[in-house]
């Protein structure tokens, strides 16, 4: 089965098979009628009119994104086979040459953090934690005071919640 390629469309410029600069191809693509081109032009227009929000400018303030096109990346990992999709490795990335990078996985394994003094009860005004020896203790949540909610209101609601939690903890210890 022979496949006939349209040489004036497939590669090179539209008039001939001469190679073109990448910049001219990208420019032609961005001036087209594709959704990507239209969105790009709207984005550039909004930048020129200063319509972008400050929040968007703060998103990657301390990061400098850099996309390397057409590079070889060699992964040296501690497990055989391909890396699963969505998996992370702790590694050191080295640029070996213009178009080659090597990532060597570090020996340090992350430990899963154990929660000290886990929550037994999470409430609106108080939380109850459990110490390692099993004894519970309360902590207060920090309220926001307004004209309608004062310190006295917070104390009343926290006291009511403490009485409810005290009954729950007594029932729990009685069943154990």
């Amino acid at each position: 089965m022979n496949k006939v390629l349209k040489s004036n469309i497939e590669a090179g410029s539209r008039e001939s098979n001469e190679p073109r600069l990448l910049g001219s191809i990208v420019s032609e693509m961005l001036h087209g009628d594709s959704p990507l081109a239209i969105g790009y032009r709207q984005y550039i227009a909004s930048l020129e009119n200063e319509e972008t929000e400050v929040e968007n400018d703060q998103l990657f303030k301390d990061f400098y994104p850099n996309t390397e096109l057409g590079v070889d990346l060699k992964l040296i990992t501690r497990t055989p086979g391909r890396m699963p999709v969505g998996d992370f490795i702790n590694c050191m990335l080295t640029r070996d040459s213009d178009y080659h990078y090597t990532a060597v996985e570090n020996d340090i394994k992350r430990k899963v953090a154990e929660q000290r003094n886990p929550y037994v009860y999470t409430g609106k005004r108080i939380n109850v934690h459990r110490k390692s020896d099993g004894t519970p203790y309360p902590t207060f949540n920090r309220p926001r005071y307004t004209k309608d909610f004062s310190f006295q209101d917070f104390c009343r609601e926290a006291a009511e919640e403490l009485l409810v939690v005290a009954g729950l903890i007594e029932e729990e210890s009685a069943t154990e």
Side-chain angles (χ1 to χ4, degrees):
M1 181 166 118
N2 293 338
K3 192 170 190 181
V4 178
L5 297 178
K6 297 177 183 178
S7 62
N8 61 344
I9 296 175
E10 296 296 329
S13 65
R14 292 189 177 176
E15 288 79 27
S16 67
N17 286 334
E18 297 295 319
R20 295 181 6 186
L21 294 174
L22 181 62
S24 67
I25 295 170
V26 171
S27 176
E28 182 179 314
M29 181 187 73
L30 292 178
H31 288 89
D33 292 331
S34 69
L36 173 70
I38 293 169
Y40 176 74
R41 287 194 300 269
Q42 289 173 350
Y43 172 73
I44 295 299
S46 70
L47 285 179
E48 291 172 357
N49 295 333
E50 297 179 355
E51 294 175 0
T52 58
E53 298 177 4
V54 176
E55 296 169 0
N56 291 341
D57 294 338
Q58 299 295 326
L59 185 59
F60 292 108
K61 183 179 177 186
D62 295 330
F63 294 99
Y64 304 99
N66 185 16
T67 303
E68 297 285 341
L69 300 175
V71 298
D72 293 324
L73 174 65
K74 179 180 242 178
L75 294 177
I76 301 174
T77 61
R78 301 204 172 272
T79 56
R82 295 185 77 179
M83 216 173 107
V85 175
D87 198 11
F88 293 95
I89 61 170
N90 188 3
C91 68
M92 179 183 63
L93 186 65
T94 306
R95 184 174 184 182
D96 300 334
S97 66
D98 282 340
Y99 299 106
H100 190 270
Y101 290 82
T102 302
V104 179
E105 186 174 4
N106 294 336
D107 191 23
I108 301 170
K109 298 291 181 187
R110 289 187 178 186
K111 293 183 180 177
V112 177
E114 295 180 17
Q115 183 179 4
R116 291 179 42 210
N117 304 338
Y119 288 101
V120 175
Y121 172 82
T122 305
K124 187 175 181 182
R125 302 294 173 213
I126 65 163
N127 296 328
V128 178
H129 300 266
R130 186 174 305 278
K131 290 182 184 180
S132 58
D133 64 356
T135 58
Y137 67 95
T139 58
F140 291 100
N141 296 332
R142 293 184 182 199
R144 288 192 174 175
Y145 298 120
T146 62
K147 293 178 184 176
D148 300 327
F149 186 76
S150 65
F151 177 73
Q152 289 80 12
D153 297 325
F154 171 75
C155 290
R156 283 187 202 99
E157 289 183 15
E160 290 172 5
E161 201 167 346
L162 279 168
L163 290 172
V164 170
V165 171
L168 292 174
I169 299 295
E170 284 178 7
E171 291 173 12
E172 224 179 79
S173 60
T175 57
E176 289 178 358

